[in-house]
Amino acid sequence: MTTIKDIARKAGVSHGTVSNVLNKRGNVSVKKIKMVEEAARALGYNLNRKAHTLRSGTNHAVSLILPSLEQTEYVQFYEGVKKALREQGYSVHLYITYDLPHYEEKILEEIAAERATGVLAVSCLDDARTYYEKLHIPEDHVVFINRQVRNSRASVSFDFTEAGRDIAAYILDQGFESVGLFTGEEKHSNERSFTDVLARDLSFLPTRIERTTLQQAHSAAFSFFKDQSFDVLVTSSPNFADHLRKAHTFGSLHPMPALITLDPSTRGAGADTVSYLQNYQLLGKKTAGWLLDHVHDVKTMEPHVILSNKGFVDTEVTASKNDSDTIKLLTLPSPTTDALQKILPHFQKQTGIHVEVDIQSFDQMYEELMSKSQERDHDLIRLDMAWLPWLGEELFTPLQGLDGEIDDRLASLPKYLKRNYSEVNGQALVLPFDPSLQMLFYRKDLFEDPKIKRMFYETYKKQLTIPEDFESMNEIVHFFSRAAYSDSPIEYGTGMILGKPSIMALDFLARYYERGGRLVQENHLMLDPAKAEAALENYLETVKMAKPFLNQWWTEEVSSFARGEMAMIIGFINHASKISLSEVGPLVGSALPPGGSPILGGGVIGLSKQSRKTDAALTFLKWIHEDSVAEQITMLGGTTAKLEVCDNQTIHSLYPWLSNSYDTKFKGIREKQFKDGSYFNTKAVEEIIGTSLQRSLSQKHAVSDIIAEINAKLENYADTFVRS
């Protein structure tokens, strides 16, 4: 086996230098790092994969043993483990047993040969000593999940006894009179604990228990309905619930009973099912953390951990007063709109109201809303928050006093949301829909890589850190742009959208605000010339090096970053969901933009004055602000005003920047109002700024001339976009 001495000898460097490279310490020159890397390659080793093995005899990987990936809970658990371990530099090797003991024993032999750092297992074996005898790793580096295996030293599980007790209480509360339980094998402790307490608490009701293996679940479901009917069915997995649905459809003449299931996903198991939630991604994260604590001798948790369940999804249904209504929503294309469309069937099933979604482009919607048309037939409008003061009073019926629940929601809004996403002239016109602000997204793996950090230091004589101002950001953009620096590990440092004046204006204004500039000067609009010229110089310097995007929206820039083509971007959080679903997702960090003065964005939603279906529209507004609906919109890539969704560990894991942005309490900037309380047309102002910026790119002008041109236009057009 190759050793540190072998690599040091081949590279012509000291053992300490190789050790520093292996441990990713930053006190090695780029030249010596390359020498060590070349020697390792010549000896057939990839340092990134083998470094830990060379140091400790293990391969810096964790083996994960699961019964199946057809069970939704195991997929969720795998995702949680993978994300948590990758963040700590560990890889995950997945093995599937199909709940067959002889498969599992062969897998243990493979793992022993690989010298894994640790093992996480949903085991079908009876005794943990089989693991300890076959694997040459510390016993507390083997963690058993959910199923309590005899003689195990370490385990993490949900509280299945609590789940059974809660579901039994729900069944009794609902007045069901006969119960069918469809669960996994009794030999597994989690299934046994769950069904035992259910059977005990419901012992005076007619109850049938059917236990099945994974392989036999489909046929067992058909047998379950033969010559028997139930008021309610309970399953220990949403996949078992799916088997029962199919069996009932094809094999039963009785009405479909109510269905309750343990469910690993915050989305719920379906409109026809009551879900009792257990967050398996959180279980994966906790288990991975427990294991790594023991690997690193930081033993802060008990050897046998039981996690609380999340409990029932809100199952209350509010019926519409008119179950044949169709309402129409006008909105912009966005990830939140996409997410909303996916869950609208849930709203229709609950209320009988069909929602027709009219998606228009940014400019198309603005032109329609500015047309003063009296023929508009939308019941609800999702409006850009920057347009609210200018258009809101003409478009929306004030919400205050229309419905008690909405009044409560308005009253509970934090002041920062009321100010920017609800009120105009002190009147609550709308509710927040998908509030947003700018964030800096960056590749953590690039910023934390010792070799790259050393390259940056040798180039600029300073440390590579997350940029705190736009001047340092441009240095980093230059460093990561291969056209400017041939040794860059990535093609571009950042990207810039150049095909949409209003977006260009926001990129410029972020730099202007960093310098303390403001558009509003008492009761008129004007850029501070000195601050604006410095901001424009910086903006044009970024454009020279950035990857240009000539499209008119953020979609392609975010997609390019998600493909790994750039080191960092500044973008709005309500367009960032694509990042988390990409290969670079686990490698991405987030921070406030340089200068710490993010631009606010996102939208609001309200009741159109043109609507003749007030009750149905208000029902929709209440529905989208339910906790479970807000969670679903966020899980599917949108954003919401319900900041508490970040308490959901799955959401926090998928979109970690949401917590960072929500922690700011949306203390960003989007100027809309003069000192005297009058408003101006923000869209028109940003178009003026952006159009002049576009001209500065195509024609060579002094920056002072461009700023003077913008100020002249702001003064000349003041009468058209100022309103008392």
Side-chain angles (χ1 to χ4, degrees):
M1 182 179 73
T2 298
T3 66
I4 288 178
K5 291 182 179 180
D6 296 329
I7 296 175
R9 189 181 304 113
K10 181 74 173 176
V13 299
S14 69
H15 299 169
T17 296
V18 176
S19 177
N20 285 339
V21 174
L22 292 176
N23 286 286
K24 297 187 176 182
R25 299 191 183 106
N27 55 347
V28 182
S29 69
V30 173
K31 180 180 178 181
K32 288 186 177 180
I33 291 173
K34 289 181 177 179
M35 291 166 64
V36 172
E37 290 177 340
E38 290 170 3
R41 279 194 293 271
L43 293 170
Y45 281 83
N46 180 333
L47 287 177
N48 292 331
R49 293 264 181 178
K50 302 295 183 178
H52 189 74
T53 302
L54 289 172
R55 293 195 303 273
S56 64
T58 60
N59 68 2
H60 219 51
V62 171
S63 297
L64 176 60
I65 300 175
L66 297 175
S68 167
L69 282 182
E70 294 181 5
Q71 300 286 99
T72 310
E73 57 266 46
Y74 299 140
V75 175
Q76 296 284 330
F77 179 74
Y78 170 60
E79 291 297 326
V81 168
K82 182 173 65 173
K83 287 177 185 293
L85 290 177
R86 281 184 175 177
E87 289 177 358
Q88 301 300 319
Y90 287 75
S91 59
V92 180
H93 295 176
L94 177 64
Y95 299 89
I96 303 299
T97 67
Y98 305 102
D99 262 347
L100 301 173
H102 66 282
Y103 266 60
E104 190 165 335
E105 292 186 12
K106 288 182 179 179
I107 286 169
L108 293 180
E109 294 173 1
E110 293 181 34
I111 294 172
E114 289 187 357
R115 296 172 305 188
T117 301
V119 177
L120 307 177
V122 180
S123 177
C124 63
L125 299 184
D126 296 326
D127 198 319
R129 286 179 294 193
T130 305
Y131 274 72
Y132 306 147
E133 290 167 2
K134 289 182 177 290
L135 302 177
H136 304 291
I137 59 176
E139 292 182 0
D140 62 355
H141 291 193
V142 179
V143 186
F144 293 94
I145 316 303
N146 278 347
R147 299 171 179 177
Q148 302 295 323
V149 180
R150 190 167 65 251
N151 295 313
S152 66
R153 287 283 308 277
S155 64
V156 180
S157 173
F158 283 115
D159 192 339
F160 288 92
T161 298
E162 177 191 58
R165 187 185 306 118
D166 289 348
I167 291 175
Y170 178 86
I171 288 171
L172 294 174
D173 184 63
Q174 295 297 311
F176 294 117
E177 296 181 352
S178 60
V179 184
L181 307 182
F182 192 76
T183 70
E185 295 177 270
E186 186 177 18
K187 71 174 185 177
H188 302 312
S189 63
N190 56 327
E191 302 282 0
R192 184 172 62 252
S193 298
F194 178 62
T195 53
D196 282 356
V197 73
L198 270 167
R200 183 198 67 201
D201 289 356
L202 302 175
S203 59
F204 52 88
L205 295 181
T207 302
R208 176 181 172 183
I209 302 176
E210 179 76 19
R211 297 184 173 93
T212 180
T213 65
L214 297 179
Q215 294 79 9
Q216 297 171 344
H218 187 68
S219 59
F222 275 81
S223 301
F224 194 61
F225 285 109
K226 188 176 181 180
D227 299 324
Q228 192 165 359
S229 63
F230 310 91
D231 287 340
V232 63
L233 303 174
V234 180
T235 74
S236 57
S237 163
N239 299 76
F240 285 164
D242 287 341
H243 286 305
L244 289 180
R245 289 190 194 95
K246 292 174 184 176
H248 182 269
T249 299
F250 293 101
S252 176
L253 296 174
H254 299 289
M256 180 65 185
L259 188 56
I260 305 171
T261 187
L262 300 185
D263 191 353
S265 172
T266 56
R267 60 174 171 73
D272 63 341
T273 304
V274 174
S275 289
Y276 186 91
L277 300 186
Q278 296 175 315
N279 191 331
Y280 271 74
Q281 285 210 24
L282 176 61
L283 178 68
K285 179 181 178 181
K286 292 282 189 182
T287 304
W290 192 101
L291 172 63
L292 293 184
D293 280 350
H294 281 251
V295 168
H296 300 139
D297 290 322
V298 184
K299 300 177 181 179
T300 59
M301 297 176 69
E302 296 295 325
H304 300 285
V305 179
I306 296 179
L307 300 182
S308 295
N309 311 297
K310 186 170 182 182
F312 289 105
V313 172
D314 183 8
T315 56
E316 184 178 350
V317 175
T318 303
S320 168
K321 296 179 181 179
N322 183 346
D323 63 4
S324 62
D325 275 341
T326 293
I327 57 176
K328 192 170 182 179
L329 166 66
L330 174 63
T331 186
L332 294 169
S334 72
T336 304
T337 297
D338 294 341
L340 176 64
Q341 287 185 290
K342 291 176 182 176
I343 63 171
L344 282 176
H346 176 265
F347 176 68
Q348 187 167 347
K349 289 175 185 176
Q350 278 198 326
T351 66
I353 303 169
H354 172 70
V355 180
E356 182 181 335
V357 182
D358 180 10
I359 302 174
Q360 297 185 7
S361 71
F362 192 82
D363 290 332
Q364 182 184 5
M365 178 188 287
Y366 181 76
E367 290 172 6
E368 175 173 330
L369 297 180
M370 290 290 288
S371 69
K372 315 295 184 185
S373 171
Q374 299 302 311
E375 299 178 1
R376 212 178 288 123
D377 62 349
H378 300 103
D379 300 287
L380 296 157
I381 300 173
R382 184 277 190 199
L383 190 71
D384 190 278
M385 58 82 65
W387 306 352
L388 178 61
W390 185 253
L391 294 171
E393 290 180 315
E394 292 183 5
L395 293 177
F396 296 113
T397 298
L399 292 178
Q400 195 74 44
L402 295 180
D403 182 275
E405 288 183 39
I406 289 184
D407 286 348
D408 291 342
R409 178 62 186 156
L410 290 168
S412 68
L413 287 177
K415 288 183 179 179
Y416 54 87
L417 287 180
K418 287 182 180 179
R419 182 174 61 251
N420 288 303
Y421 295 91
S422 179
E423 295 181 348
V424 176
N425 289 323
Q427 186 177 42
L429 289 181
V430 294
L431 284 165
F433 181 65
D434 55 348
S436 184
L437 79 169
Q438 287 176 325
M439 293 288 286
L440 173 71
F441 300 93
Y442 64 93
R443 287 278 299 276
K444 290 187 296 184
D445 57 322
L446 299 179
F447 277 79
E448 297 171 2
D449 184 276
K451 179 180 174 182
I452 293 173
K453 292 171 71 173
R454 184 69 189 191
M455 290 166 62
F456 186 85
Y457 181 80
E458 292 182 1
T459 303
Y460 293 99
K461 305 305 178 190
K462 62 174 67 173
Q463 298 299 321
L464 175 61
T465 58
I466 308 308
E468 296 183 357
D469 56 63
F470 279 100
E471 183 179 350
S472 60
M473 179 173 173
N474 273 355
E475 285 183 344
I476 297 171
V477 170
H478 182 276
F479 173 73
F480 280 118
S481 298
R482 201 167 289 154
Y485 185 66
S486 59
D487 286 338
S488 171
I490 199 166
E491 189 171 0
Y492 291 99
T494 193
M496 295 289 277
I497 298 173
L498 305 177
K500 182 73 175 172
S502 57
I503 295 178
M504 296 173 67
L506 297 182
D507 286 334
F508 162 76
L509 286 171
R511 291 160 169 81
Y512 178 63
Y513 291 144
E514 179 207 9
R515 290 163 169 78
R518 289 295 183 270
L519 275 168
V520 174
Q521 310 293 333
E522 294 302 326
N523 288 316
H524 67 283
L525 298 173
M526 187 183 78
L527 295 171
D528 179 291
K531 294 173 181 176
E533 288 169 20
L536 182 53
E537 291 275 13
N538 181 278
Y539 173 84
L540 294 174
E541 183 65 23
T542 308
V543 170
K544 287 179 187 176
M545 299 176 288
K547 182 175 182 179
F549 294 93
L550 302 179
N551 62 302
Q552 295 193 345
W553 214 244
W554 284 280
T555 305
E556 184 50 38
E557 183 186 28
V558 172
S559 297
S560 177
F561 179 73
R563 292 193 296 267
E565 296 169 358
M566 296 180 289
M568 55 187 172
I569 60 169
I570 295 175
F572 284 88
I573 61 169
N574 60 333
H575 288 273
S577 57
K578 187 175 291 187
I579 295 171
S580 70
L581 305 177
S582 69
E583 290 187 6
V584 305
L587 309 175
V588 173
S590 63
L592 285 175
S597 299
I599 305 291
L600 289 178
V604 300
I605 188 168
L607 175 64
S608 170
K609 283 187 174 180
Q610 306 291 328
S611 177
R612 298 294 179 266
K613 300 178 180 179
T614 300
D615 288 347
L618 292 176
T619 299
F620 178 84
L621 289 177
K622 289 184 285 186
W623 174 77
I624 61 169
H625 285 89
E626 290 177 6
D627 289 346
S628 59
V629 174
E631 264 193 346
Q632 288 312 305
I633 288 174
T634 310
M635 287 283 293
L636 291 168
T639 52
T640 174
K642 304 280 283 189
L643 309 188
E644 55 270 28
V645 297
C646 288
D647 295 336
N648 179 309
Q649 187 58 44
T650 303
I651 289 173
H652 180 76
S653 178
L654 276 173
Y655 312 114
W657 51 81
L658 288 181
S659 295
N660 294 343
S661 59
Y662 288 172
D663 286 345
T664 70
K665 301 187 184 303
F666 289 89
K667 292 180 180 176
I669 302 173
R670 199 68 176 274
E671 294 181 89
K672 307 180 291 293
Q673 191 172 18
F674 291 112
K675 303 293 184 182
D676 65 2
S678 60
Y679 296 101
F680 59 89
N681 187 335
T682 303
K683 170 75 161 58
V685 170
E686 290 168 355
E687 284 290 327
I688 284 174
I689 295 171
T691 301
S692 292
L693 293 177
Q694 271 191 330
R695 199 167 71 82
S696 73
L697 299 181
S698 59
Q699 305 171 24
K700 291 187 177 180
H701 296 278
V703 294
S704 58
D705 292 339
I706 296 297
I707 299 304
E709 174 186 294
I710 293 172
N711 279 335
K713 289 181 178 179
L714 292 177
E715 183 178 1
N716 291 338
Y717 287 90
D719 291 341
T720 66
F721 52 71
V722 177
R723 174 178 294 152
S724 299

